[in-house]
Amino acid sequence: MTGPRPRVALVATARPTFAVDVARERATQARELLVALGAEVTGPSGLVMTPEDLDEAAGYSFDDVDLVVNVCASFSDASPALRLYSEVDVPILLWAFREPGPVGDRLWLNSLCGANLFGHALVVHAGRVPHLVHGDPGEPAVREALTRALAGDLPAAPALPDVVGERAGDPDAVERALGALRGRTLGLVGDAPTGFTPSRYDADLLDEFFGIGVDEISVEDMFQRVAAVDEGQREDERRAAAAAQPSLATLDPAQVALSAGVTSAMRSWGEDSGLSGMAIRCWPEFPSSLGVCPCSSLSRLADAGTPTACERDVYGAVTMMLLEALGSGTTYLVDTVDLETDDNLVRLWHCGAAATSLAADPSDARQDVHCNRKIGVAGNFPLRTGPVVMARLTEDPERGGLRLLLASGESVPEPNRFQGNTAAVRLDTSAEAFVQALVTGGFPHHTVLAWTDVRPALRTAADRLGVPVIEFTTAESTRSAS
């Protein structure tokens, strides 16, 4: 490389609950590669994981560099993105790594999902469009992409598609479904987790578009409800759960009993308040203060017909309610965590709240400890195979209001790749372009996965609501929106 050395500010973000040693090793390799490619690299030398780390990183100047590279060494919430980059007037490149670790182990890094969360925060809340590189430091394609980026040729953000498929054959049925949502109530537990920008919501938008209200209680209120569950009710739920999920017998009986109390409390709250769905702040308080993970409880409620969303994702829960009102059947909220370009495949995952009816083999929907917290109770089984739809209502950063993301594909058989619930989905569109668009288009890290194709009804519902549709699919299977 001739001429002045490109100046790069590198920040490596991570979270202590993931494989920190691996994250640190990858971050070191990333820095070494940028130096080897001729860059003058500044920025904190260690991983940014704590508030103190973030304060230190904020002390570095990003105004006199040519490029900011945020290495998503593992998953992290979006606090660093908003704190460090909201006012930075230089390009921001997010670098996500591939997932290491053996089949069936936990997600070691969840790096791609972290980049997705950063992208949403930057686009929706800071008005910044980041760029994305995905792959490990030793990959030739990554080296080539970084070489071009250092020369000013950053990876292009793919244009969002403007072709939408066919509408519903019975639009009146869609009207009835939308009408049935009006007056319903979504139960919320707790505030949005820190740095989880997709978990923020506008109650006025919910009322304007869907007529859905909210019943919001604190995490502490929910814990009081759990404590108030009488022993007989808790034991009845424990017995019912054990009959439906025999693998509970392998777990700590105290945690299984506590999980039964959580399920009973949530069910009673839902019945008392007339809830049609729930969005729960599932961490950190449930595992750190109550001593149990609520994943299996959310699964039990989903099996009983109540859509449940973790991380208090309100728009995710409303998407589930909309899909199920249109006939999708039970759905699941997932992260996009893995990309295999050669097979045009993405892996969709979450840490164990899937309804057992969604298991590849419902008779073997194993319950286990949580993949990161190592306490009970969370599901650990692969998700159902066959045709799938991905959907997500989210903020529209250009026009205001909401927009609807749609994609489709085939969930293919494979062992449960990551502890929790995983689906390997071969998309009907370019998987690489889809992942690039998720991050650079400011879409949330959560989408809703359904096994019944309700896209025609969803498109019609979006028309009725005035919600623009961004649909990723093959050109052959769509028709112009006109």
Side-chain angles (χ1 to χ4, degrees):
M1 181 176 293
T2 59
R5 297 174 66 191
R7 298 164 299 173
V8 173
L10 185 146
V11 179
T13 49
R15 200 177 191 92
T17 49
F18 289 88
V20 173
D21 289 346
V22 179
R24 186 176 290 112
E25 179 183 13
R26 293 281 178 89
T28 299
Q29 293 169 350
R31 181 180 290 270
E32 291 171 347
L33 176 57
L34 287 167
V35 171
L37 292 175
E40 179 184 330
V41 181
T42 61
S45 58
L47 298 177
V48 174
M49 295 192 290
T50 67
E52 294 75 20
D53 296 336
L54 185 52
D55 288 342
E56 179 186 349
Y60 286 85
S61 174
F62 300 108
D63 296 328
D64 57 355
V65 299
D66 304 302
L67 176 66
V68 172
V69 177
N70 193 105
V71 171
C72 299
S74 82
F75 179 83
S76 163
D77 71 60
S79 299
L82 295 176
R83 170 89 180 271
L84 301 177
Y85 311 138
S86 291
E87 306 298 329
V88 172
D89 192 25
V90 295
I92 299 166
L93 179 66
L94 303 176
W95 184 353
F97 299 138
R98 300 194 188 279
E99 280 304 320
V103 172
D105 203 348
R106 66 171 180 150
L107 273 167
W108 282 15
L109 300 179
N110 205 14
S111 172
L112 179 57
C113 183
N116 196 167
L117 187 56
F118 270 47
H120 177 272
L122 289 170
V123 172
V124 174
H125 296 282
R128 302 295 312 277
V129 177
H131 305 268
L132 174 68
V133 166
H134 178 250
D136 292 338
E139 296 178 24
V142 169
R143 185 184 184 96
E144 180 181 350
L146 290 173
T147 299
R148 293 198 304 267
L150 293 175
D153 181 15
L154 289 151
L160 298 181
D162 58 3
V163 174
V164 181
E166 64 182 11
R167 271 54 173 189
D170 184 1
D172 290 341
V174 176
E175 289 284 5
R176 290 192 295 272
L178 289 173
L181 287 175
R182 304 199 72 83
R184 293 194 179 185
T185 302
L186 173 66
L188 309 183
V189 175
D191 299 324
T194 301
F196 276 62
T197 53
S199 296
R200 302 177 188 177
Y201 79 103
D202 184 334
D204 291 336
L205 283 183
L206 295 187
D207 181 58
E208 174 188 349
F209 282 96
F210 300 103
I212 293 175
V214 298
D215 178 19
E216 188 164 356
I217 66 173
S218 69
V219 175
E220 292 75 18
D221 286 341
M222 177 52 69
F223 287 177
Q224 289 177 10
R225 288 176 175 270
V226 174
V229 173
D230 66 58
E231 189 59 36
Q233 186 181 9
R234 187 188 303 254
E235 179 60 16
D236 287 346
E237 168 56 29
R238 189 200 65 77
R239 289 178 183 273
Q245 303 165 335
S247 57
L248 287 172
T250 66
L251 301 180
D252 181 346
Q255 289 174 3
V256 172
L258 186 50
S259 179
V262 172
T263 306
S264 299
M266 288 183 177
R267 183 184 293 115
S268 296
W269 175 50
E271 293 170 352
D272 294 344
S273 302
L275 304 181
S276 296
M278 295 182 186
I280 308 297
R281 179 180 168 115
C282 51
W283 61 267
E285 293 85 1
F286 271 90
S288 63
S289 299
L290 191 62
V292 72
C293 290
C295 309
S296 191
S297 295
L298 299 182
S299 169
R300 291 278 293 160
L301 295 171
D303 269 322
T306 299
T308 56
C310 56
E311 296 171 2
R312 211 217 61 167
D313 185 344
V314 176
Y315 293 143
V318 172
T319 306
M320 300 170 89
M321 292 170 66
L322 175 60
L323 264 68
E324 296 188 23
L326 294 171
S328 70
T330 304
T331 58
Y332 189 43
L333 193 74
V334 291
D335 297 343
T336 300
V337 300
D338 205 13
L339 166 66
E340 289 191 6
T341 305
D342 292 344
D343 289 334
N344 205 50
L345 183 143
V346 293
R347 287 190 177 87
L348 309 175
W349 168 91
H350 228 276
C351 50
T356 58
S357 61
L358 297 179
D361 179 2
S363 68
D364 189 28
R366 179 174 177 78
Q367 303 301 298
D368 207 334
V369 296
H370 186 276
C371 52
N372 284 345
R373 304 287 175 165
K374 302 305 180 188
I375 58 174
V377 179
N380 185 19
F381 51 85
L383 294 169
R384 185 190 300 173
T385 57
V388 294
V389 172
M390 299 169 65
R392 173 69 197 214
L393 289 161
T394 186
E395 310 96 331
D396 188 335
E398 293 185 3
R399 292 167 286 263
L402 299 173
R403 55 181 173 162
L404 175 66
L405 170 73
L406 279 181
S408 60
E410 179 87 9
S411 177
V412 300
E414 70 169 26
N416 200 34
R417 175 63 180 87
F418 306 113
Q419 184 181 355
N421 304 124
T422 317
V425 175
R426 185 163 291 119
L427 291 177
D428 294 334
T429 189
S430 164
E432 184 173 16
F434 175 75
V435 167
Q436 283 278 345
L438 274 184
V439 175
T440 61
F443 292 100
H445 66 301
H446 287 159
T447 52
V448 178
L449 191 60
W451 281 260
T452 299
D453 190 355
V454 293
R455 285 177 298 166
L458 273 171
R459 298 172 189 127
T460 301
D463 291 344
R464 296 290 196 268
L465 297 167
V467 171
V469 178
I470 299 93
E471 181 167 357
F472 293 85
T473 188
T474 55
E476 294 80 7
S477 64
T478 60
R479 287 191 243 169
S480 168
S482 64

